[in-house]
């Protein structure tokens, strides 16, 4: 009974990656959305000691999740869809507004500030990893400890 | 996904976008040359060439449902920028940047008309704009219209935008657009250009305040 409770408690901790330690996921957050019919944006910091590749991201609250890179040149910004994302060994990859985000399309619900939702990430080496994402303000630029 | 009707519908827009692109490309070359020659000049005055051509001229519907033109804001400095509500990354950053500027202006914000013009009028209806802008700032004005009206407004500001078909995007298209924020004089002439990430909101508020004070003195 007790070990089960420990596992359950761990599973409920926000922002902690489960399933394995081949990959570290931190600062998992998303922007609150205004209209439920509009896409949301989520951000993660990923690091793998051996190097890895993010193949796919899913969530029970979104129909499709795409990796988007924002390209800005001379004031014109554009979102570029990346099929996968390579992680260099030992190098943290931090998604951030204006740079890299997970575009969440077809949300089943509005992302409300102060709530959380799960993401399931599929890595080439680390396999499937789940993470809880905290919803921050509508124009947040990152969790406070990362921002400052 | 059936893209054919979409492509047909977008044809006139494409032409406009390409025209605007040519202007942007030409302007960018000048801008680059300028930056190389004068790397440390005051950022707010570094502007794209052809600025004299930029003017505020539009006929659109505001988020309360009123038909408006630049003449409805002629008692105020206009702070004009383009975007769309399907953009969860860049656009909220720009909108909150403008909201910050308005907060910093305090009472002087009454002399400013902050105009957010959608480049995606098919999805950004008046109702959508009303809900969207109110989240960021009570003074923010959202403008939409027909595709032709929006294209014409973008053209008067020499703003580039495009619709690109992308099967994985909602409704099959993604938009790219210019993130510049234009400060226009009360009579709709070009005054200055700002960019989130390049000028702090404090700098922009100060630049606007200086002009309001100058105007009050004269
Ligand atoms: Cu995106």
């Amino acid at each position: 009974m007790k070990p089960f409770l420990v596992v359950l408690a761990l599973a409920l901790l926000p922002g902690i990656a489960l399933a394995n330690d081949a990959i570290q996921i931190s600062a998992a957050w998303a922007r609150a959305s205004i209209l439920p019919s509009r896409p949301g944006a989520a951000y993660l910091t990923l690091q793998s000691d051996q190097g890895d590749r993010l193949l796919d991201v899913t969530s029970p609250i979104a129909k499709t999740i795409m990796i988007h890179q924002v390209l800005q040149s001379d004031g014109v910004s554009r979102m570029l869809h990346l099929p996968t994302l390579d992680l260099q060994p030992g190098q943290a990859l931090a998604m951030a507004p204006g740079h890299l985000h997970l575009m969440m399309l077809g949300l089943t619900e509005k992302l409300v500030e102060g709530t959380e939702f799960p993401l399931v990430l599929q890595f080439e080496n680390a396999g499937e990893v789940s993470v809880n994402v905290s919803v921050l303000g509508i124009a947040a630029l990152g969790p406070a400890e990362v921002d400052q | 996904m059936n893209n054919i009707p979409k492509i047909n519908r977008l044809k006139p827009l494409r032409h406009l976008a390409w025209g605007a692109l040519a202007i942007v490309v030409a302007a960018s070359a000048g801008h680059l040359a300028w930056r190389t020659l004068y790397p440390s000049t005051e950022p707010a005055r570094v502007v794209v060439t052809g600025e004299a051509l930029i003017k505020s001229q539009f006929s659109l519907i505001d988020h309360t449902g009123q038909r408006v033109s630049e003449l409805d804001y002629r008692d105020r400095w206009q702070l004009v920028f383009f975007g769309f509500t399907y953009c969860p990354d860049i656009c909220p950053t720009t909108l909150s940047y403008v909201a910050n500027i308005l907060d910093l202006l305090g009472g002087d914000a009454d002399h400013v008309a902050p105009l957010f013009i959608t480049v995606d009028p098919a999805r950004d209806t008046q109702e959508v704009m009303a809900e969207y802008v109110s989240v960021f700032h009570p003074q923010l004005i959202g403008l939409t219209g027909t595709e032709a009206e929006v294209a014409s407004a973008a053209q008067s500001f020499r703003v580039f935008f495009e619709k690109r078909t992308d099967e994985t995007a909602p409704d099959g298209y993604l938009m790219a657009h210019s993130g510049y924020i234009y400060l226009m004089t009360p009579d709709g002439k070009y005054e200055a250009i700002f960019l989130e990430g390049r000028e702090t909101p404090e700098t922009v508020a100060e630049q606007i305040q200086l002009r309001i004070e100058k105007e009050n003195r004269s």
Side-chain angles (χ1 to χ4, degrees):
Chain A
M1 195 65 171
K2 260 183 187 158
F4 169 75
L5 283 177
V6 170
V7 169
L8 186 69
L10 277 175
L12 291 173
L13 277 177
I16 305 268
L18 302 174
N20 65 67
D21 39 64
I23 197 106
Q24 294 100 53
I25 305 176
S26 54
W29 66 282
R31 273 185 177 166
S33 53
I34 299 169
L35 301 148
S37 59
R38 297 294 182 268
Y43 307 86
L44 309 165
T45 297
L46 305 171
Q47 185 166 352
S48 157
D49 293 338
Q50 280 76 47
D52 210 331
R53 176 177 287 159
L54 178 60
L55 301 172
D56 193 32
V57 187
T58 55
S59 173
I61 67 157
K63 202 172 137 224
T64 323
I65 300 181
M66 291 194 289
I67 307 163
H68 273 179
Q69 186 182 9
V70 176
L71 299 176
Q72 292 187 76
S73 65
D74 221 38
V76 177
S77 47
R78 209 178 290 273
M79 295 193 290
L80 183 74
H81 173 211
L82 305 179
T84 58
L85 195 61
D86 284 342
L87 303 178
Q88 299 307 318
Q91 242 177 58
L93 192 143
M95 298 184 188
H99 165 54
L100 206 60
H101 60 267
L102 297 174
M103 182 94 156
M104 305 180 62
L105 302 163
L107 290 172
T108 57
E109 56 197 86
K110 204 165 128 169
L111 302 181
V112 179
E113 186 173 350
T115 62
E116 284 181 357
F117 62 86
L119 276 187
V120 179
L121 312 174
Q122 190 71 47
F123 292 94
E124 198 168 75
N125 301 328
E128 200 171 281
V129 184
S130 310
V131 66
N132 276 341
V133 179
S134 308
V135 181
L136 307 181
I138 178 67
L141 292 174
E145 63 270 23
V146 170
D147 213 20
Q148 255 81 65
Chain B
M1 186 155 293
N2 179 14
N3 277 330
I4 293 152
K6 234 162 242 152
I7 287 162
N8 285 340
R9 189 164 57 81
L10 293 177
K11 239 182 190 156
L13 256 184
R14 282 247 170 94
H15 285 284
L16 264 176
W18 280 114
L21 176 65
I23 291 156
V24 168
V25 168
S28 310
H31 189 191
L32 259 180
W34 173 268
R35 270 212 292 234
T36 317
L37 281 170
Y38 307 98
S40 62
T41 34
E42 196 184 48
R45 294 301 305 168
V46 178
V47 291
V48 292
T49 48
E51 64 189 57
L53 296 171
I54 297 173
K55 58 179 187 303
S56 179
Q57 197 174 63
F58 56 82
S59 175
L60 296 164
I61 304 285
D62 77 6
H63 68 269
T64 70
Q66 300 295 311
R67 162 84 36 196
V68 290
S69 79
E70 74 285 356
L71 298 176
D72 291 291
Y73 308 106
R74 71 184 145 190
D75 53 335
R76 286 178 274 174
W77 291 81
Q78 296 170 31
L79 202 55
V80 185
F81 58 106
F82 293 77
F84 59 107
T85 69
Y86 259 84
C87 152
D89 187 83
I90 295 283
C91 299
T93 307
T94 307
L95 276 127
S96 78
Y97 175 71
V98 172
N100 271 337
I101 294 166
L102 295 173
D103 284 341
L104 287 164
L105 282 170
D108 279 342
D110 293 340
H111 301 283
V112 176
L115 308 178
F116 169 56
I117 304 178
T118 180
V119 293
D120 188 11
R123 294 185 296 197
D124 293 343
T125 59
Q126 177 230 318
E127 292 80 12
V128 166
M129 292 299 271
E131 197 169 346
Y132 198 78
V133 294
S134 68
V135 172
F136 290 92
H137 202 279
Q139 276 167 292
L140 211 55
I141 299 161
L143 300 178
T144 186
T146 64
E147 300 224 334
E149 284 165 349
V150 163
S152 150
Q155 228 213 344
S156 94
F157 285 93
R158 297 298 186 262
V159 156
F160 163 77
F161 74 97
E162 67 174 9
K163 266 186 182 179
R164 197 155 41 90
T165 43
D166 181 336
E167 278 163 40
T168 51
D171 300 347
Y173 64 94
L174 278 178
M175 319 245 356
H177 69 98
S178 161
Y180 284 122
I181 298 166
Y182 297 86
L183 180 65
M184 309 297 287
T185 64
D187 56 355
K189 289 201 189 73
Y190 174 88
E191 179 68 21
I193 200 165
F194 306 109
L195 192 61
E196 191 274 324
R198 196 177 70 186
E199 286 92 24
T200 64
E202 287 79 10
T203 305
V204 180
E206 203 181 300
Q207 295 269 338
I208 297 171
Q209 243 147 4
L210 281 173
R211 287 168 171 94
I212 293 171
E213 279 163 27
K214 202 174 140 195
E215 198 188 36
N216 287 346
R217 277 199 306 271
S218 59

